[in-house]
Amino acid sequence: MYEKLNELSDEYRTELCHLFNNYFEKAKEDPFLLQSDIKTIYDEYSQKQDNSVFEDTILEDFIIDTRVMVIKYPWLYFAVRKDIGKWEYIKFDQENVNFQKIEVKEYLQFQETLINGKSDEENWPLEINVAPFYKDFPKLREKTSIGNGVSFLNKHLSSRLFSDIEEEAENLFNFLHEHEYNGKKLMVNELIQSPDELRQALRDAISYLEDKSENKSWNDVRIELKKKGFERGWGREVDTIQNRMQRLINIMEAPSPESLEKFLGDLPMVFNIVIVSPHGYFAQSDVLGKPDTGGQIVYILDQVRALEKDLKKRIYDQGLDVDPQILILTRQIPNSGETTCDQRLEDVHGTEHAKILRVPFRNKEGDVVPDWISRFRLWPYVERYAIESEKEILAELQDKPDLIIGNYSDGNLVAMLLAQSMGVTLGTIAHALEKTKYLFSDLYWKESENEYHFSTQFTADLLAMNAADFVITNTYYEIAGNQDSAGLYESHTSFTMPDLYRVVKGIDIYDPKFNVISPGSNPDIFFPYTEKDRRLTEFHDRIDHMIFGEEDDTHKGLLKNQDKPLLFLMSRLDKIKNVTGFIRGYGESDKLRELTNVFVIGGYLDINKSNDDEEREEIEKMHHYFDKYDLYDQVRWTNLQPDKNLVGEIYRYIADRRGAFIQPGFYETFGLTVVESMVSGLPTFATLYGGPREIIEDGKSGFHLDPNKNEDMIEIVTDFFKKVDKNPEYWKEISKGGIKRVNEKYTWKKYADRLITNSSIYSFWKYVTNLERQGLQTYLKTLYNLLFRPLAQNKFQHQ
């Protein structure tokens, strides 16, 4: 690219310098320019020319592809994203009018120089580079394959089997031979000692089973099969046993990705699971809306219920009489008010064998920390917490788990420590990565350190995402973004935190560890408004009061025209949720106010009940906009509601009145409320930044909103209700589209099946590549001990 740019600069030397002078002027305000500023300055320059000399040239493409420009005269440094996950770094010398391609290291050094006023190279800054540890690992080639790592891995594994059948058959045989549960052999016993013996035993077993009735079970044939070298785990019914044995023979002769995935997915490998989520208040009631406590609680509880159902069915079909156990590991908070967060152990409602296990944080002296601690400030406690949690887990399960899944940065780090200690397969779920929430938070990390502790946060993220055997994301966007913007994980590819470390290569989104497994909503709570027999009509008087009742301490606004459809917003009152931004837009739109009313469930009305500074600021804005736009007879605002059954019926109640759900956040990792509202039959408008962009098919199953363009956002909602006003069937069309979309793509049943299957496949991959992974794990442990641990322990001084 830079060669062609230099050819252009030779021809248009003066014009190029004039264009870049505009960037140098802008850099006097801020030396770091984002894509929007870069494009705006280019467009303004082009408009001043009668005929833009750069139109349809490589320079125009170059400007469009530049995501960040870093400027200090006479240099301009460009971070160019040519495609998803494909970055180039180029610098331009204004004095010599010359482009040069550079390595990412030089680009990061230049950023550091602007922050510190000098280069720190003489101080030998720490560089983190995981690339050498992945050089022999298989990588995806196509961007369309990102997030579908397990399919790629199946193809790779089956290819390995095909190309070197004897060596890989040995790996598969050894893997099966080591299978056991509670000290009892599964699948293959000591009578079979080699892959060849396994092949022959399988043929003999299949021949023996051919004349057995399909109604026969393992118990009817177990004596003969044990004599041939087989143990429980092949299946409960004879036809299942026979099919799985035949599938293994096929794999050992002519493997295919489909047969390998099916075989590994059916193996009895997962019985006990630990799901880690330490921050916030984790309980089944009376906690939603508390600090650091929101959608992740609902997500994990629904996840656990789905996983238990899936495991019970799998284990039964495998012919085993074992009860799966799932532990949700979270933090015990002695001073937790009316909640159950002070209890050590709590059964999960709707399950038979799932429990919440709570372990307290301890301070340096070993005393229990009695009060809640922000997710930004818990880093000094996590190592000791992990050590004590391991003892509690082993005591509760009477064995180590088969799978550990972390949630959020803190949960992922604790899960990493537990998995490393116990030798267990590790899956991580970020849900959100703080680095992408705050502009240039890596470069200016020092300015926010006392409040957000990004030094430990970002380090924990890097360690956990590299230590994970597989990473679950809710959407493709979360990993790789789209053609116009980078994904959450992609933003961790390369960055610098001046005076701390620079990341030359932190993660590769083409790694097959990434898998998109989208959650669903609880079908017992969230179902279409048309299913009248299931409706929770006992809530209707309460809902009537919430929306139309008199004002009091928890309800603000009294809707005057109650016949208008309702625009429903429900979330925490965080800046990123942008509830106040939508309310401001509504207040300024005469037409939308004429067509609709607004119902908001979120936060507290009384600012004194919140101890979160960001939420308090948003509460003040809500009260301000009520006054500024005189919204008292058109907007109803009530406190956040913790009862999910009530919330489910609210969606349907508002659908009865032909309303809509609005989710106007600046970013949403997934958007569980979007799925809930859609499956309830409520037309849904949601941000195009993050998960909702994939969930909603714009104009078909809902609508995308750009929260950065408030007027456009309000216009989209207004246009919908104008159309509905003329044609009521249009509302039903979008409603049905949303229901159909969720039922096809977003269910917990599909989620659980894919997660357990993935776990089995990655466990096998981990087994056959163990030696290759040891170097990476050693590197991560070194970083943990020499970097993260001192950073975390230093935080005790700030508590």
Side-chain angles (χ1 to χ4, degrees):
M1 175 192 288
Y2 71 96
E3 296 97 336
K4 293 183 179 180
L5 287 169
N6 279 325
E7 291 175 9
L8 182 142
S9 68
D10 289 340
E11 185 174 355
Y12 299 105
R13 183 184 185 94
T14 301
E15 292 86 352
L16 196 62
C17 289
H18 285 165
L19 168 62
F20 285 158
N21 277 336
N22 290 281
Y23 291 107
F24 285 114
E25 282 299 314
K26 182 68 173 178
K28 293 177 181 178
E29 303 170 17
D30 188 343
F32 300 97
L33 303 186
L34 292 174
Q35 184 180 15
S36 57
D37 290 326
I38 297 167
K39 184 67 165 55
T40 297
I41 291 172
Y42 176 81
D43 289 341
E44 289 174 351
Y45 171 81
S46 297
Q47 289 168 10
K48 292 177 182 177
Q49 314 301 311
D50 292 335
N51 292 300
S52 175
V53 293
F54 302 122
E55 187 174 359
D56 297 327
T57 67
I58 188 173
L59 182 72
E60 187 165 73
D61 294 336
F62 175 69
I63 292 294
I64 291 171
D65 291 338
T66 297
R67 297 297 180 263
V68 181
M69 188 184 289
V70 189
I71 307 168
K72 183 179 182 182
Y73 191 85
W75 298 105
L76 294 101
Y77 278 62
F78 304 85
V80 184
R81 187 175 183 256
K82 293 298 295 177
D83 203 349
I84 288 173
K86 306 294 185 182
W87 292 81
E88 289 184 4
Y89 299 91
I90 291 175
K91 67 179 179 181
F92 177 78
D93 181 351
Q94 179 81 336
E95 293 180 347
N96 295 307
V97 193
N98 177 257
F99 290 94
Q100 297 177 49
K101 184 178 180 180
I102 60 173
E103 297 298 320
V104 63
K105 175 179 176 178
E106 183 178 342
Y107 172 77
L108 297 175
Q109 286 175 326
F110 188 66
Q111 288 184 315
E112 294 160 4
T113 301
L114 291 185
I115 297 297
N116 293 330
K118 60 181 178 62
S119 173
D120 287 335
E121 287 312 291
E122 64 270 18
N123 297 326
W124 289 75
L126 174 64
E127 284 189 358
I128 296 175
N129 186 357
V130 300
F133 301 101
Y134 288 97
K135 64 183 177 65
D136 296 326
F137 276 53
K139 292 284 175 62
L140 306 172
R141 294 182 181 272
E142 301 298 326
K143 61 187 177 184
T144 53
S145 299
I146 293 172
N148 199 16
V150 74
S151 295
F152 172 84
L153 211 53
N154 282 327
K155 293 175 183 177
H156 180 77
L157 289 169
S158 61
S159 175
R160 281 178 49 158
L161 277 164
F162 192 82
S163 61
D164 194 346
I165 192 69
E166 292 308 318
E167 181 178 346
E168 297 305 327
E170 184 79 25
N171 284 331
L172 186 55
F173 166 74
N174 290 335
F175 184 69
L176 291 174
H177 213 269
E178 293 182 14
H179 251 52
E180 61 176 41
Y181 178 74
N182 273 351
K184 295 182 179 179
K185 293 287 292 181
L186 297 175
M187 307 298 290
V188 177
N189 63 36
E190 301 302 329
L191 294 177
I192 301 174
Q193 290 293 315
S194 70
D196 285 339
E197 290 182 14
L198 176 59
R199 289 186 182 98
Q200 188 57 51
L202 287 167
R203 295 188 189 102
D204 292 345
I206 291 171
S207 177
Y208 163 71
L209 294 172
E210 280 179 353
D211 61 351
K212 299 296 180 289
S213 167
E214 292 184 357
N215 296 325
K216 297 287 186 181
S217 68
W218 165 264
N219 287 332
D220 298 314
V221 297
R222 66 182 178 84
I223 294 176
E224 285 300 316
L225 289 182
K226 285 174 73 72
K227 290 178 182 178
K228 298 179 186 299
F230 298 106
E231 298 292 337
R232 286 182 180 271
W234 292 93
R236 185 168 295 272
E237 307 299 331
V238 164
D239 61 335
T240 302
I241 298 169
Q242 193 172 6
N243 288 338
R244 289 176 179 171
M245 287 183 168
Q246 184 62 57
R247 186 174 293 119
L248 180 56
I249 285 184
N250 294 342
I251 290 170
M252 297 179 75
E253 298 295 336
S256 71
E258 296 76 19
S259 60
L260 186 62
E261 177 172 343
K262 181 64 177 169
F263 179 75
L264 292 174
D266 286 337
L267 286 179
M269 296 172 62
V270 181
F271 302 96
N272 301 326
I273 301 175
V274 173
I275 295 175
V276 187
S277 181
H279 78 244
Y281 292 77
F282 200 109
Q284 298 174 85
S285 60
D286 302 322
V287 295
L288 292 182
K290 289 183 177 294
D292 292 343
T293 309
Q296 86 270 20
I297 305 297
V298 178
Y299 177 104
I300 292 172
L301 290 172
D302 285 346
Q303 176 196 48
V304 164
R305 295 183 184 104
L307 288 174
E308 187 188 72
K309 287 180 182 177
D310 187 271
L311 283 176
K312 287 172 68 175
K313 184 180 184 305
R314 282 173 183 264
I315 293 170
Y316 180 85
D317 291 344
Q318 290 157 355
L320 304 175
D321 298 313
V322 174
D323 292 325
Q325 296 187 77
I326 303 178
L327 292 179
I328 300 172
L329 176 66
T330 189
R331 184 192 160 203
Q332 188 177 36
I333 307 173
N335 295 340
S336 58
E338 299 298 319
T339 75
T340 58
C341 295
D342 59 335
Q343 297 180 13
R344 175 184 176 273
L345 207 61
E346 182 180 351
D347 292 335
V348 175
H349 305 328
T351 70
E352 295 180 33
H353 309 289
K355 300 180 185 297
I356 301 170
L357 173 64
R358 299 186 181 91
V359 177
F361 287 162
R362 294 185 184 274
N363 61 24
K364 290 174 67 175
E365 291 72 32
D367 300 322
V368 169
V369 178
D371 300 313
W372 166 83
I373 295 174
S374 162
R375 71 184 187 276
F376 296 113
R377 297 178 176 273
L378 51 69
W379 301 110
Y381 307 96
V382 294
E383 183 173 318
R384 184 166 188 163
Y385 176 80
I387 293 170
E388 294 193 4
S389 294
E390 180 176 349
K391 297 174 185 176
E392 296 289 339
I393 289 167
L394 294 174
E396 198 62 38
L397 296 179
Q398 295 297 301
D399 199 358
K400 66 180 184 180
D402 306 296
L403 171 64
I404 296 177
I405 301 172
N407 291 270
Y408 285 93
S409 301
D410 48 286
N412 288 337
L413 189 75
V414 172
M416 179 194 83
L417 295 173
L418 290 169
Q420 287 176 339
S421 178
M422 293 190 275
V424 174
T425 298
L426 171 64
T428 62
I429 310 175
H431 297 284
L433 290 165
E434 298 291 340
K435 180 176 174 293
T436 60
K437 290 183 179 180
Y438 305 88
L439 189 59
F440 295 125
S441 55
D442 47 357
L443 291 173
Y444 297 105
W445 67 276
K446 291 181 184 178
E447 297 179 9
S448 305
E449 186 67 0
N450 288 339
E451 181 177 3
Y452 293 119
H453 302 277
F454 286 146
S455 63
T456 40
Q457 179 103 37
F458 298 171
T459 307
D461 287 330
L462 276 176
L463 291 171
M465 65 179 66
N466 280 286
D469 296 300
F470 63 96
V471 176
I472 299 169
T473 70
N474 297 321
T475 62
Y476 177 95
Y477 189 95
E478 193 177 334
I479 310 168
N482 55 35
Q483 206 64 37
D484 299 322
S485 59
L488 273 67
Y489 281 95
E490 188 181 354
S491 70
H492 287 69
T493 302
S494 301
F495 63 92
T496 183
M497 301 178 74
D499 292 327
L500 186 59
Y501 57 75
R502 74 170 64 109
V503 179
V504 175
K505 191 70 169 183
I507 197 69
D508 188 343
I509 62 171
Y510 285 83
D511 192 308
K513 71 169 59 182
F514 288 103
N515 287 271
V516 176
I517 308 180
S518 300
S521 57
N522 188 330
D524 295 326
I525 296 176
F526 303 102
F527 53 85
Y529 75 101
T530 53
E531 297 184 19
K532 301 297 184 182
D533 292 344
R534 301 177 63 193
R535 294 287 298 270
L536 306 179
T537 54
E538 63 271 21
F539 284 124
H540 283 197
D541 287 344
R542 184 174 169 187
I543 295 171
D544 273 332
H545 175 72
M546 286 175 61
I547 300 175
F548 301 116
E550 296 296 321
E551 291 185 288
D552 54 32
D553 292 342
T554 58
H555 300 85
K556 182 166 184 169
L558 185 61
L559 302 181
K560 183 177 180 180
N561 185 346
Q562 300 183 5
D563 294 329
K564 291 182 186 179
L566 291 163
L567 301 179
F568 179 34
L569 294 88
M570 179 178 64
S571 75
R572 301 188 311 276
L573 286 185
D574 295 341
K575 287 182 182 178
I576 201 165
K577 296 297 185 181
N578 195 34
V579 172
T580 56
F582 184 85
I583 294 300
R584 174 171 57 83
Y586 176 82
E588 294 172 350
S589 173
D590 292 338
K591 187 60 181 177
L592 188 56
R593 293 178 68 168
E594 179 187 326
L595 291 167
T596 63
N597 289 325
V598 174
F599 176 46
V600 180
I601 296 180
Y604 298 99
L605 272 66
D606 184 352
I607 194 172
N608 296 315
K609 291 187 177 180
S610 174
N611 59 3
D612 184 287
D613 290 339
E614 190 172 294
E615 183 181 45
R616 290 168 66 90
E617 185 178 336
E618 293 301 295
I619 291 171
E620 285 184 344
K621 285 184 184 178
M622 284 289 286
H623 288 297
H624 171 69
Y625 291 146
F626 263 82
D627 293 334
K628 181 176 181 178
Y629 300 111
D630 191 19
L631 299 176
Y632 288 90
D633 61 356
Q634 290 184 284
V635 176
R636 178 75 163 187
W637 173 28
T638 187
N639 287 351
L640 197 63
Q641 299 297 314
D643 188 332
K644 296 303 289 183
N645 286 293
L646 172 63
V647 168
E649 191 60 27
I650 290 173
Y651 284 127
R652 293 185 289 271
Y653 181 96
I654 294 174
D656 288 337
R657 304 176 70 90
R658 297 301 185 261
F661 182 74
I662 313 291
Q663 205 278 47
F666 289 112
Y667 182 83
E668 187 67 42
T669 305
F670 179 62
L672 193 55
T673 55
V674 171
V675 172
E676 292 171 354
S677 63
M678 287 170 67
V679 80
S680 301
L682 199 54
T684 300
F685 299 77
T687 179
L688 57 77
Y689 296 107
R693 183 173 184 142
E694 293 176 37
I695 297 170
I696 291 174
E697 303 159 293
D698 191 38
K700 185 176 179 180
S701 55
F703 301 90
H704 294 153
L705 301 176
D706 187 342
N708 298 304
K709 299 176 181 178
N710 217 3
E711 289 184 8
D712 292 350
M713 181 167 65
I714 296 299
E715 185 177 347
I716 289 170
V717 180
T718 304
D719 285 347
F720 171 76
F721 281 97
K722 284 180 180 178
K723 290 180 181 178
V724 170
D725 201 35
K726 294 178 181 178
N727 177 20
E729 291 300 311
Y730 184 60
W731 186 97
K732 291 183 181 180
E733 178 185 328
I734 300 301
S735 172
K736 290 177 181 177
I739 295 170
K740 182 173 182 288
R741 177 69 171 171
V742 172
N743 287 335
E744 288 177 350
K745 296 278 291 183
Y746 302 100
T747 69
W748 280 112
K749 185 176 185 297
K750 292 177 180 177
Y751 175 100
D753 177 70
R754 287 197 63 194
L755 192 151
I756 299 300
T757 298
N758 280 17
S759 172
S760 299
I761 293 166
Y762 282 98
S763 293
F764 178 65
W765 173 246
K766 182 178 181 178
Y767 178 84
V768 299
T769 61
N770 186 47
L771 289 177
E772 299 170 30
R773 293 174 56 85
Q774 285 183 358
L776 173 61
Q777 295 301 326
T778 300
Y779 182 65
L780 296 176
K781 288 178 181 178
T782 301
L783 287 176
Y784 177 86
N785 286 305
L786 297 182
L787 179 59
F788 178 84
R789 178 181 279 165
L791 287 171
Q793 292 305 309
N794 185 52
K795 301 302 178 190
F796 269 124
Q797 301 174 15
H798 301 284
Q799 300 298 327

PDB file of all heavy atoms in Angstrom, residues 733-748:
ATOM      1  N   GLU A 733     -46.889  -7.523  11.685  1.00  0.00           N
ATOM      2  CA  GLU A 733     -45.850  -8.068  10.812  1.00  0.00           C
ATOM      3  C   GLU A 733     -44.491  -8.059  11.517  1.00  0.00           C
ATOM      4  O   GLU A 733     -43.756  -9.052  11.505  1.00  0.00           O
ATOM      5  CB  GLU A 733     -45.790  -7.244   9.529  1.00  0.00           C
ATOM      6  CG  GLU A 733     -44.719  -7.686   8.547  1.00  0.00           C
ATOM      7  CD  GLU A 733     -44.627  -6.752   7.355  1.00  0.00           C
ATOM      8  OE1 GLU A 733     -45.662  -6.174   6.952  1.00  0.00           O
ATOM      9  OE2 GLU A 733     -43.505  -6.588   6.833  1.00  0.00           O
ATOM     10  N   ILE A 734     -44.134  -6.928  12.130  1.00  0.00           N
ATOM     11  CA  ILE A 734     -42.855  -6.827  12.845  1.00  0.00           C
ATOM     12  C   ILE A 734     -42.879  -7.701  14.097  1.00  0.00           C
ATOM     13  O   ILE A 734     -41.876  -8.349  14.432  1.00  0.00           O
ATOM     14  CB  ILE A 734     -42.555  -5.362  13.207  1.00  0.00           C
ATOM     15  CG1 ILE A 734     -42.472  -4.502  11.941  1.00  0.00           C
ATOM     16  CG2 ILE A 734     -41.264  -5.257  13.998  1.00  0.00           C
ATOM     17  CD1 ILE A 734     -41.401  -4.937  10.951  1.00  0.00           C
ATOM     18  N   SER A 735     -44.012  -7.745  14.777  1.00  0.00           N
ATOM     19  CA  SER A 735     -44.155  -8.582  15.970  1.00  0.00           C
ATOM     20  C   SER A 735     -43.890 -10.048  15.646  1.00  0.00           C
ATOM     21  O   SER A 735     -43.106 -10.724  16.315  1.00  0.00           O
ATOM     22  CB  SER A 735     -45.560  -8.414  16.553  1.00  0.00           C
ATOM     23  OG  SER A 735     -45.794  -9.342  17.584  1.00  0.00           O
ATOM     24  N   LYS A 736     -44.511 -10.553  14.594  1.00  0.00           N
ATOM     25  CA  LYS A 736     -44.326 -11.957  14.200  1.00  0.00           C
ATOM     26  C   LYS A 736     -42.892 -12.212  13.755  1.00  0.00           C
ATOM     27  O   LYS A 736     -42.327 -13.277  14.023  1.00  0.00           O
ATOM     28  CB  LYS A 736     -45.294 -12.311  13.081  1.00  0.00           C
ATOM     29  CG  LYS A 736     -46.749 -12.379  13.516  1.00  0.00           C
ATOM     30  CD  LYS A 736     -47.668 -12.653  12.325  1.00  0.00           C
ATOM     31  CE  LYS A 736     -49.129 -12.697  12.755  1.00  0.00           C
ATOM     32  NZ  LYS A 736     -50.029 -12.901  11.577  1.00  0.00           N
ATOM     33  N   GLY A 737     -42.295 -11.229  13.084  1.00  0.00           N
ATOM     34  CA  GLY A 737     -40.906 -11.375  12.648  1.00  0.00           C
ATOM     35  C   GLY A 737     -39.954 -11.534  13.812  1.00  0.00           C
ATOM     36  O   GLY A 737     -38.995 -12.322  13.753  1.00  0.00           O
ATOM     37  N   GLY A 738     -40.186 -10.796  14.892  1.00  0.00           N
ATOM     38  CA  GLY A 738     -39.344 -10.896  16.081  1.00  0.00           C
ATOM     39  C   GLY A 738     -39.471 -12.245  16.761  1.00  0.00           C
ATOM     40  O   GLY A 738     -38.473 -12.853  17.165  1.00  0.00           O
ATOM     41  N   ILE A 739     -40.696 -12.730  16.899  1.00  0.00           N
ATOM     42  CA  ILE A 739     -40.928 -14.043  17.524  1.00  0.00           C
ATOM     43  C   ILE A 739     -40.232 -15.134  16.728  1.00  0.00           C
ATOM     44  O   ILE A 739     -39.545 -16.006  17.280  1.00  0.00           O
ATOM     45  CB  ILE A 739     -42.439 -14.328  17.624  1.00  0.00           C
ATOM     46  CG1 ILE A 739     -43.111 -13.331  18.575  1.00  0.00           C
ATOM     47  CG2 ILE A 739     -42.690 -15.759  18.093  1.00  0.00           C
ATOM     48  CD1 ILE A 739     -44.629 -13.375  18.545  1.00  0.00           C
ATOM     49  N   LYS A 740     -40.399 -15.090  15.412  1.00  0.00           N
ATOM     50  CA  LYS A 740     -39.800 -16.106  14.530  1.00  0.00           C
ATOM     51  C   LYS A 740     -38.272 -16.086  14.639  1.00  0.00           C
ATOM     52  O   LYS A 740     -37.630 -17.142  14.735  1.00  0.00           O
ATOM     53  CB  LYS A 740     -40.233 -15.842  13.086  1.00  0.00           C
ATOM     54  CG  LYS A 740     -39.731 -16.848  12.066  1.00  0.00           C
ATOM     55  CD  LYS A 740     -40.366 -16.560  10.703  1.00  0.00           C
ATOM     56  CE  LYS A 740     -39.928 -17.593   9.655  1.00  0.00           C
ATOM     57  NZ  LYS A 740     -38.525 -17.409   9.259  1.00  0.00           N
ATOM     58  N   ARG A 741     -37.699 -14.903  14.648  1.00  0.00           N
ATOM     59  CA  ARG A 741     -36.237 -14.766  14.706  1.00  0.00           C
ATOM     60  C   ARG A 741     -35.668 -15.386  15.975  1.00  0.00           C
ATOM     61  O   ARG A 741     -34.679 -16.135  15.943  1.00  0.00           O
ATOM     62  CB  ARG A 741     -35.869 -13.291  14.638  1.00  0.00           C
ATOM     63  CG  ARG A 741     -34.382 -12.979  14.770  1.00  0.00           C
ATOM     64  CD  ARG A 741     -33.599 -13.444  13.590  1.00  0.00           C
ATOM     65  NE  ARG A 741     -32.215 -12.952  13.641  1.00  0.00           N
ATOM     66  CZ  ARG A 741     -31.265 -13.337  12.830  1.00  0.00           C
ATOM     67  NH1 ARG A 741     -31.523 -14.225  11.873  1.00  0.00           N
ATOM     68  NH2 ARG A 741     -30.038 -12.853  12.932  1.00  0.00           N
ATOM     69  N   VAL A 742     -36.270 -15.120  17.118  1.00  0.00           N
ATOM     70  CA  VAL A 742     -35.768 -15.645  18.393  1.00  0.00           C
ATOM     71  C   VAL A 742     -35.912 -17.158  18.453  1.00  0.00           C
ATOM     72  O   VAL A 742     -34.983 -17.868  18.856  1.00  0.00           O
ATOM     73  CB  VAL A 742     -36.492 -14.980  19.581  1.00  0.00           C
ATOM     74  CG1 VAL A 742     -36.119 -15.668  20.889  1.00  0.00           C
ATOM     75  CG2 VAL A 742     -36.150 -13.497  19.646  1.00  0.00           C
ATOM     76  N   ASN A 743     -37.062 -17.674  18.043  1.00  0.00           N
ATOM     77  CA  ASN A 743     -37.275 -19.119  18.111  1.00  0.00           C
ATOM     78  C   ASN A 743     -36.326 -19.890  17.212  1.00  0.00           C
ATOM     79  O   ASN A 743     -35.975 -21.040  17.493  1.00  0.00           O
ATOM     80  CB  ASN A 743     -38.722 -19.454  17.752  1.00  0.00           C
ATOM     81  CG  ASN A 743     -39.693 -19.074  18.855  1.00  0.00           C
ATOM     82  OD1 ASN A 743     -39.315 -19.006  20.027  1.00  0.00           O
ATOM     83  ND2 ASN A 743     -40.937 -18.824  18.503  1.00  0.00           N
ATOM     84  N   GLU A 744     -35.900 -19.265  16.131  1.00  0.00           N
ATOM     85  CA  GLU A 744     -34.978 -19.929  15.207  1.00  0.00           C
ATOM     86  C   GLU A 744     -33.520 -19.848  15.663  1.00  0.00           C
ATOM     87  O   GLU A 744     -32.734 -20.756  15.396  1.00  0.00           O
ATOM     88  CB  GLU A 744     -35.097 -19.316  13.815  1.00  0.00           C
ATOM     89  CG  GLU A 744     -36.375 -19.673  13.076  1.00  0.00           C
ATOM     90  CD  GLU A 744     -36.486 -18.992  11.720  1.00  0.00           C
ATOM     91  OE1 GLU A 744     -35.652 -18.086  11.430  1.00  0.00           O
ATOM     92  OE2 GLU A 744     -37.399 -19.341  10.968  1.00  0.00           O
ATOM     93  N   LYS A 745     -33.160 -18.778  16.368  1.00  0.00           N
ATOM     94  CA  LYS A 745     -31.737 -18.527  16.618  1.00  0.00           C
ATOM     95  C   LYS A 745     -31.333 -18.448  18.091  1.00  0.00           C
ATOM     96  O   LYS A 745     -30.178 -18.704  18.414  1.00  0.00           O
ATOM     97  CB  LYS A 745     -31.338 -17.208  15.945  1.00  0.00           C
ATOM     98  CG  LYS A 745     -31.441 -17.201  14.439  1.00  0.00           C
ATOM     99  CD  LYS A 745     -30.237 -17.834  13.768  1.00  0.00           C
ATOM    100  CE  LYS A 745     -28.999 -16.990  13.951  1.00  0.00           C
ATOM    101  NZ  LYS A 745     -27.819 -17.541  13.247  1.00  0.00           N
ATOM    102  N   TYR A 746     -32.233 -18.089  18.977  1.00  0.00           N
ATOM    103  CA  TYR A 746     -31.821 -17.726  20.325  1.00  0.00           C
ATOM    104  C   TYR A 746     -32.633 -18.476  21.381  1.00  0.00           C
ATOM    105  O   TYR A 746     -33.588 -17.935  21.939  1.00  0.00           O
ATOM    106  CB  TYR A 746     -31.936 -16.209  20.518  1.00  0.00           C
ATOM    107  CG  TYR A 746     -31.116 -15.439  19.512  1.00  0.00           C
ATOM    108  CD1 TYR A 746     -31.708 -14.874  18.387  1.00  0.00           C
ATOM    109  CD2 TYR A 746     -29.746 -15.307  19.675  1.00  0.00           C
ATOM    110  CE1 TYR A 746     -30.944 -14.188  17.446  1.00  0.00           C
ATOM    111  CE2 TYR A 746     -28.971 -14.623  18.735  1.00  0.00           C
ATOM    112  CZ  TYR A 746     -29.575 -14.074  17.622  1.00  0.00           C
ATOM    113  OH  TYR A 746     -28.818 -13.415  16.693  1.00  0.00           O
ATOM    114  N   THR A 747     -32.230 -19.722  21.644  1.00  0.00           N
ATOM    115  CA  THR A 747     -32.879 -20.519  22.686  1.00  0.00           C
ATOM    116  C   THR A 747     -31.817 -21.118  23.596  1.00  0.00           C
ATOM    117  O   THR A 747     -30.708 -21.448  23.152  1.00  0.00           O
ATOM    118  CB  THR A 747     -33.739 -21.655  22.094  1.00  0.00           C
ATOM    119  OG1 THR A 747     -32.882 -22.641  21.499  1.00  0.00           O
ATOM    120  CG2 THR A 747     -34.717 -21.122  21.044  1.00  0.00           C
ATOM    121  N   TRP A 748     -32.156 -21.282  24.861  1.00  0.00           N
ATOM    122  CA  TRP A 748     -31.220 -21.865  25.816  1.00  0.00           C
ATOM    123  C   TRP A 748     -30.968 -23.343  25.516  1.00  0.00           C
ATOM    124  O   TRP A 748     -29.883 -23.866  25.824  1.00  0.00           O
ATOM    125  CB  TRP A 748     -31.742 -21.698  27.234  1.00  0.00           C
ATOM    126  CG  TRP A 748     -31.494 -20.332  27.795  1.00  0.00           C
ATOM    127  CD1 TRP A 748     -32.427 -19.381  28.097  1.00  0.00           C
ATOM    128  CD2 TRP A 748     -30.223 -19.753  28.101  1.00  0.00           C
ATOM    129  NE1 TRP A 748     -31.808 -18.256  28.575  1.00  0.00           N
ATOM    130  CE2 TRP A 748     -30.459 -18.449  28.588  1.00  0.00           C
ATOM    131  CE3 TRP A 748     -28.909 -20.205  28.007  1.00  0.00           C
ATOM    132  CZ2 TRP A 748     -29.435 -17.605  28.997  1.00  0.00           C
ATOM    133  CZ3 TRP A 748     -27.877 -19.357  28.391  1.00  0.00           C
ATOM    134  CH2 TRP A 748     -28.145 -18.079  28.888  1.00  0.00           C
TER     135      TRP A 748
END
